[in-house]
Amino acid sequence: MDVIKSWDSLAMVKLDIDKAIAAHNAALATLKRNGAPIYSPEIQREHEVAAREKLTTELNQCRERAAAFHARAEAAVTAGRDDPYSWLSEAELQRAALLRPFIAEDVAATSAIDMTRYTSQVATGRRKLDRATAWLLMREVERVHDLPVETFERLAMPEAIATAEAEAQEAQRLVSRIGDVRPERMEQIHQNILRQANFNATGQLVGQ
């Protein structure tokens, strides 16, 4: 079964994470009045466990959706990177073929330090490149100088691959966030805060 529905999106996953957390916090808030529990300890615990289980279930569903988005986007990125010749149109490939000997000669004659400086100028927009030139530099700079070529890659990369890459990164951030807001993780953080609060700056128990 396909986890990703036609109407789903990472924005909706993020919204559902926020809704699940808000509903969990609201459920816990109804268990107290003026900061004091309104039920017996046993009943109070039952309600807390039910709220926790509901949040865990909803977060698991969100994680499954985010992971599916990540897998799909990563597959698109991998497929695109495996065929860099598909990045350029026929006209751009023809232009690249004409420019290649000149670009290769320039890159070979340029020191690694100067190439790094040039790359920085391109990254900041001080130098403009067309896609064919960026594509050639991406290949030649890595081959000759073994320097990072992400700047040239971003300029040469088709929008569809760049979009998929951004989606994969956003999906991974959501997966990480889900891990951070899980009840057990939040309880661990709370317990750590309480333990630290019992000690003063010198590491001595408060009140001892």
Side-chain angles (χ1 to χ4, degrees):
M1 182 183 297
D2 190 1
V3 176
I4 303 177
K5 306 301 181 184
S6 59
W7 45 262
D8 205 0
S9 67
L10 286 175
M12 293 187 69
V13 176
K14 181 178 183 301
L15 181 63
D16 287 343
I17 294 172
D18 293 338
K19 285 182 177 178
I21 296 171
H24 173 262
N25 293 340
L28 294 184
T30 63
L31 303 180
K32 293 184 178 181
R33 184 178 296 115
N34 297 326
I38 61 177
Y39 298 109
S40 66
E42 294 78 10
I43 300 299
Q44 192 84 5
R45 183 58 182 163
E46 287 180 9
H47 284 291
E48 291 173 351
V49 169
R52 173 183 171 140
E53 290 178 348
K54 182 174 184 293
L55 175 59
T56 297
T57 297
E58 292 173 346
L59 289 179
N60 285 343
Q61 293 170 348
C62 287
R63 189 190 188 287
E64 184 179 13
R65 290 158 62 198
F69 275 109
H70 181 267
R72 185 180 71 177
E74 279 289 300
V77 172
T78 300
R81 288 183 180 280
D82 284 345
D83 186 15
Y85 284 94
S86 68
W87 292 17
L88 302 182
S89 66
E90 188 63 32
E92 288 170 331
L93 283 172
Q94 291 178 7
R95 175 172 169 75
L98 292 173
L99 290 176
R100 182 174 183 179
F102 303 104
I103 296 293
E105 182 179 349
D106 288 344
V107 171
T110 303
S111 69
I113 292 176
D114 286 341
M115 184 54 65
T116 300
R117 185 180 300 112
Y118 176 80
T119 302
S120 177
Q121 292 172 348
V122 173
T124 57
R126 291 174 59 191
R127 289 182 179 268
K128 306 295 183 183
L129 300 176
D130 58 61
R131 276 166 38 84
T133 301
W135 186 81
L136 286 170
L137 285 169
M138 174 188 75
R139 299 166 67 84
E140 288 297 319
V141 170
E142 184 175 45
R143 183 181 67 82
V144 175
H145 295 294
D146 195 25
L147 293 172
V149 293
E150 287 81 1
T151 294
F152 304 120
E153 183 182 70
R154 282 195 298 271
L155 293 174
M157 184 181 291
E159 184 176 351
I161 300 178
T163 299
E165 193 167 58
E167 183 176 85
Q169 292 171 355
E170 175 61 20
Q172 186 56 55
R173 281 192 290 268
L174 285 179
V175 170
S176 297
R177 185 188 172 212
I178 290 168
D180 289 339
V181 300
R182 284 188 177 280
E184 58 269 27
R185 173 62 175 160
M186 299 305 293
E187 288 173 4
Q188 181 183 26
I189 292 174
H190 182 65
Q191 290 171 1
N192 289 341
I193 292 173
L194 289 179
R195 279 198 296 269
Q196 291 173 7
N198 289 331
F199 294 87
N200 61 25
T202 65
Q204 305 233 335
L205 276 170
V206 174
Q208 298 296 312

